[in-house]
Amino acid sequence: MPTSLRLEIFPADLNATVRFYVDLLGFVVDDDRRADPLPYIALSRDGFRLGAVALPGGVPAYRHPPTGVEIVVEVDYLHAERDRIVRAGWPLQEDITLRPWGLKDFRLLDPDGHYLRFTTHGR
């Protein structure tokens, strides 16, 4: 089996996380355990896997954003992604910009402040 990557985040509100990642960004729910004692949800979009865990008693300070991490999502149709997000009323941190390294991207925050950068595919 090839190596894969799954990110895990620790949101304050799993329902808000689902609305953001599923309804706004087009992820699908692969595993929904929000009713479990340790609520968890697994989401995916193409090869991107994301887990979200609601920790009892809240999130420890060392797991709070921002911690210098950015979640990078490489897409085929950057303008279409941005347009869909803007039409839905979600604010961008920065609109599409051509970077010095030759790629274009735009940036936004999820409901818990995790920094997302949507970009064209790297070289």
Side-chain angles (χ1 to χ4, degrees):
M1 174 180 238
T3 301
S4 63
L5 175 68
R6 181 183 72 229
L7 300 177
E8 290 203 345
I9 59 175
F10 304 92
D13 182 339
L14 274 180
N15 293 324
T17 297
V18 169
R19 285 190 302 273
F20 177 81
Y21 284 93
V22 173
D23 298 344
L24 182 66
L25 300 186
F27 281 70
V28 296
V29 175
D30 295 323
D31 187 6
D32 188 340
R33 290 186 257 150
R34 283 181 272 184
D36 285 4
L38 182 60
Y40 175 82
I41 190 142
L43 307 169
S44 66
R45 178 177 165 183
D46 301 321
F48 187 161
R49 297 177 345 147
L50 180 70
V53 182
L55 297 175
V59 180
Y62 63 88
R63 288 192 168 160
H64 276 251
T67 57
V69 173
E70 105 182 346
I71 299 170
V72 179
V73 183
E74 294 181 331
V75 297
D76 290 328
Y77 303 104
L78 188 65
H79 286 82
E81 292 286 341
R82 188 268 324 263
D83 293 348
R84 185 172 48 78
I85 290 166
V86 169
R87 270 194 314 275
W90 198 267
L92 299 180
Q93 292 293 298
E94 189 175 357
D95 205 348
I96 294 176
T97 302
L98 176 61
R99 301 297 171 184
W101 49 89
L103 298 178
K104 291 181 180 179
D105 64 41
F106 69 90
R107 295 145 190 250
L108 64 147
L109 299 175
D110 81 357
D112 283 281
H114 296 100
Y115 195 76
L116 281 89
R117 175 170 48 106
F118 278 75
T119 187
T120 51
H121 291 281
R123 298 180 215 182

